[in-house]
Amino acid sequence: MYINMQSQQLVNSDQWAATDALGRKVIDYSEALAKRENKYVAIFYWTWHQGSDDTNYPVKNITEIVRQYPEAMADYNHPAWGDKKPGFFYWEQPLMGYYRTTDPWVLRKHAELLADAGIDAVFFDCTNGSFTWKDSYEILMKTWESAMKDGVKVPKIAFMLPFGAVPNSLVSLRQLYEDIYKTGRYKNLWFNWKGKPCIMAYPDNLTNDPIDQEIAQFFTFRPGQPDYVNGPTRNDQWGWLEVYPQHGYVKTTGGYEEVTVGVAQNTNPESKGHCSAFNLPNAYGRNYTETKGFDPRIDGYLYGWNFQEQWDYALGLDPELIFVTGWNEYIAGMWLEKDGWTGKPFSFVDQYNWNCSRDIEPNKGWGDKGDVYYLQLVNNVRRFKGVSKPDVVSPQKSICIGKEGEWDDVRPYFASYRGNTLHRDHPGRNDTYYVNKTGRNDIIGAKVARDNKNIYFYVETDQPLTSIKDPNWMLLFIDVDRNKQTGWYGYDLVINRISPENGLVTIEKNIKGKWMWTNIGNGKFVVSGNRLEIEVEKSILGLTDQLDFEFKWSDNLQDEGNIMDFYINGDVAPGGRFNYVYTAK
């Protein structure tokens, strides 16, 4: 088996192109700042989707319940709410299902999604009681360390403990120190800040006990400020969520260490910006901005006005680190007035519906728009951190496909992650269980070459390729004009959708933007072990000597015509809605 040594290169996701379902293109090198050092983006991450659930108890989705029974929002005892125990409701179904954060398949997907977005750190929510969700963080650390070895620039990890020097915070702080930090476990995953592991916790109630004194000296403490309005009340605090305009946290000679950015805020004018229930009238949902008010459109929640207003303000302050809330909280309790909440007849505090929620992780409920906030995150991270210069494209070269060594001097090498075709077999929450065995050919890299007449494509996998007769085997999608208004989500051509035979692959052109394709010609192909090489005449593809196109490899697509399938099934290079860009002029 041949493995190109360039496949050991790290994936460089900030050179990939993407356009979301709303037509918004992710910024590239021609528009962004050059890559900046010492700029970081962290995101709030929830590991609490774990535990032993009653499998006879169904998952409860607020959006689905209210869609079917709108009157249920006025009746705590409405049968649609079912048994209130365990009492947690999802605002929507994540794209990967109602998963547990002990599912390695999900955790590996998260590692790649966050790495591709340029996220540097995740902060685990341990702000409630003394829960640290050990079962989840153990499997996450193991999975992410493995992903790191496979070339994924996984985010580093840190913990956020209760918002005050309360007894529960001290319990969690000691437990985490003894379990992870003192022993040096997974040290390569720790998020370090100012020379020490970072933790959002209050050191105030540490005692003179020798272990407590070790803890006091071991971490960089950045206590969490809980309020959305007041800003820092001490000079070492960081925020996690605020209303616009956000404060800067921890003054430096150049400005601030940290500024928060939120997708939405569970508050409203009557609450004067302080924490309240998300199902109250005029909540500051995804469709709200302080400068323009509420987007009146039914689908106004899709456009990210709240999120963008906060990003724009944070970018203006230009701190060292931007803290984003958040990734995957998803669940909310149903609370009553006796619990201290003012919603009538009950409150959904942290999550409620499509508008009044703050998760960025792609979801199922929005269909092909389920990743719009993810790509908005990607775009703004690039605006903040800058974008690396595209790799140099090698000169024209005629390739004799199938001949050893022909591709050795071809640049660039479009790297993809190794090791991400693992299968899924894991319980989800309550009555759900998930199996996914579509991982097949593990794509690790690709190349493109050209001469006056032909375009040549090369792709390699970690292990020898499976049979060419396998369904949806090694498809190559091409966006010839880089215009998302033409083709299926921009893909004007697909090669190899029809199983190749007699040394020829089929080239098909898209019809009217649907999952419909018509044969326009053939190209040559050669399979050798873990390599597939294709030769196609430029004229068939509608290309000239001035090349500027996007492309994507996909193996074992399952839900044909569903762009979101790229996040879930088989393997794609690059991931999700991203494309490689080949420009040679």
Side-chain angles (χ1 to χ4, degrees), residues 15 48 156 246 275 347 405 429 451 465 468 499 511 558:
Q15 295 184 7
W48 61 20
K156 302 305 173 74
Q246 311 94 283
C275 178
S347 295
R429 300 312 305 263
D451 59 23
L465 285 155
I468 63 174
S499 295
I511 302 173
Q558 297 292 301

Side-chain angles (χ1 to χ4, degrees), residues 308 310-319 322 380 383-384:
Q308 196 57 52
Q310 295 228 330
W311 265 109
D312 292 343
Y313 191 78
L315 291 169
L317 292 180
D318 196 27
I322 290 177
N380 282 289
R383 291 176 68 207
F384 177 55

Side-chain angles (χ1 to χ4, degrees), residues 470-527:
D470 285 344
N472 287 324
W473 181 83
M474 299 302 292
L475 278 61
L476 174 59
F477 292 92
I478 304 174
D479 181 351
V480 173
D481 54 10
R482 303 194 67 187
N483 180 1
K484 301 307 172 186
Q485 300 303 310
T486 65
W488 177 72
Y489 292 98
Y491 299 113
D492 308 288
L493 304 169
V494 62
I495 298 177
N496 219 21
R497 191 179 68 91
I498 298 172
S499 295
E501 58 183 358
N502 301 323
L504 297 177
V505 293
T506 300
I507 305 162
E508 297 176 284
K509 185 176 181 179
N510 184 255
I511 302 173
K512 297 181 179 180
K514 309 290 186 180
W515 183 260
M516 299 165 58
W517 309 88
T518 185
N519 189 333
I520 60 170
N522 298 106
K524 300 176 183 178
F525 85 98
V526 172
V527 174

Side-chain angles (χ1 to χ4, degrees), residues 20-24 91 263 285-288 295 297-308 353-357 359 363-376:
D20 72 11
L22 301 175
R24 302 180 301 188
W91 70 267
V263 170
R286 298 173 188 256
N287 69 347
Y288 172 79
D295 187 325
R297 291 173 291 183
I298 293 174
D299 64 349
Y301 59 86
L302 287 172
Y303 298 88
W305 300 120
N306 191 323
F307 196 31
Q308 196 57 52
N353 62 13
W354 287 356
N355 183 50
C356 295
S357 52
D359 291 311
N363 69 73
K364 281 191 176 182
W366 297 352
D368 68 347
K369 300 177 180 65
D371 59 348
V372 291
Y373 277 83
Y374 174 68
L375 292 174
Q376 188 177 0

Side-chain angles (χ1 to χ4, degrees), residues 274-472:
H274 301 291
C275 178
S276 61
F278 242 150
N279 60 311
L280 290 175
N282 298 318
Y284 293 174
R286 298 173 188 256
N287 69 347
Y288 172 79
T289 63
E290 180 67 25
T291 52
K292 297 181 180 179
F294 294 92
D295 187 325
R297 291 173 291 183
I298 293 174
D299 64 349
Y301 59 86
L302 287 172
Y303 298 88
W305 300 120
N306 191 323
F307 196 31
Q308 196 57 52
E309 180 179 60
Q310 295 228 330
W311 265 109
D312 292 343
Y313 191 78
L315 291 169
L317 292 180
D318 196 27
E320 295 175 46
L321 180 144
I322 290 177
F323 188 101
V324 179
T325 294
W327 181 247
N328 64 329
E329 185 175 14
Y330 274 109
I331 60 174
M334 179 187 277
W335 304 102
L336 301 175
E337 190 170 11
K338 68 181 180 61
D339 302 311
W341 300 100
T342 58
K344 302 291 185 183
F346 49 78
S347 295
F348 288 118
V349 178
D350 290 308
Q351 306 281 356
Y352 169 45
N353 62 13
W354 287 356
N355 183 50
C356 295
S357 52
R358 53 190 185 217
D359 291 311
I360 293 169
E361 181 189 7
N363 69 73
K364 281 191 176 182
W366 297 352
D368 68 347
K369 300 177 180 65
D371 59 348
V372 291
Y373 277 83
Y374 174 68
L375 292 174
Q376 188 177 0
L377 172 71
V378 172
N379 186 64
N380 282 289
V381 171
R382 291 185 182 184
R383 291 176 68 207
F384 177 55
K385 294 172 62 176
V387 174
S388 59
K389 187 176 182 179
D391 295 328
V392 175
V393 176
S394 57
Q396 286 195 18
K397 178 180 181 179
S398 297
I399 299 290
C400 180
I401 61 173
K403 183 179 178 181
E404 198 71 41
E406 284 286 278
W407 292 90
D408 288 354
D409 59 350
V410 174
R411 303 289 186 277
Y413 183 82
F414 298 98
S416 183
Y417 302 123
R418 188 188 306 271
N420 57 1
T421 53
L422 70 161
H423 291 176
R424 184 183 194 183
D425 190 349
H426 201 277
R429 300 312 305 263
N430 298 109
D431 60 343
T432 60
Y433 197 98
Y434 296 100
V435 176
N436 188 314
K437 298 182 178 180
T438 62
R440 188 171 64 189
N441 291 303
D442 186 359
I443 303 166
I444 59 174
K447 292 187 178 186
V448 178
R450 85 278 183 199
D451 59 23
N452 289 331
K453 181 181 180 182
N454 299 318
I455 294 286
Y456 307 91
F457 296 97
Y458 168 101
V459 63
E460 62 181 346
T461 53
D462 185 53
Q463 298 296 320
L465 285 155
T466 60
S467 170
I468 63 174
K469 299 299 182 182
D470 285 344
N472 287 324

